[in-house]
Amino acid sequence: MWTTEARRTRRLHREKALEERRWAFVSAMPNIKITFLKSDGTRKVEVFQRTDNTFGFEELKFGEQEKAWFPVGKYSFAFIDSLESAVKEAKGRVAWLSEGA
């Protein structure tokens, strides 16, 4: 059985880990070119250009408890040569985006 203090500590650690992950993601994408938002507003895909002129994308989910967006895929690790190719790749890998949701 978790005590109230233990639950609070776990929640704070989880929030800190999410924040660190979010900032690591944000620092890797200095220039967002296109954002696609799911119709229900719970997810989005951001296509970005890095400082070395390569492109990438990431799917993010809005966390109701955290009141913040956080990455749910590992798509940002891909290095893509053009904006058009990055959009095509995102639509091919993110199910709701390819369905036009």
Side-chain angles (χ1 to χ4, degrees):
M1 194 80 166
W2 291 94
T3 65
T4 302
E5 184 61 27
R7 274 185 259 143
R8 183 177 166 276
T9 301
R10 281 186 64 207
R11 183 177 52 81
L12 290 174
H13 284 288
R14 193 170 49 245
E15 288 174 4
K16 182 180 178 191
L18 282 171
E19 188 67 15
E20 287 172 356
R21 185 174 177 207
R22 186 175 70 85
W23 281 112
F25 169 69
V26 168
S27 66
M29 49 169 228
N31 192 355
I32 297 170
K33 296 295 188 178
I34 301 172
T35 299
F36 298 98
L37 185 63
K38 190 172 179 182
S39 59
D40 65 6
T42 60
R43 291 183 181 249
K44 66 180 177 177
V45 170
E46 294 184 334
V47 181
F48 56 87
Q49 183 176 15
R50 295 182 186 89
T51 55
D52 65 359
N53 290 323
T54 61
F55 294 84
F57 69 95
E58 187 59 84
E59 181 181 14
L60 298 105
K61 180 179 178 182
F62 188 76
E64 284 296 326
Q65 291 179 342
E66 299 84 2
K67 300 293 184 214
W69 292 97
F70 60 94
V72 293
K74 294 187 178 176
Y75 304 119
S76 63
F77 294 117
F79 287 78
I80 304 168
D81 64 349
S82 71
L83 178 62
E84 295 79 15
S85 295
V87 170
K88 184 177 178 180
E89 189 72 21
K91 288 181 177 180
R93 294 190 178 267
V94 179
W96 64 263
L97 186 58
S98 63
E99 296 166 358

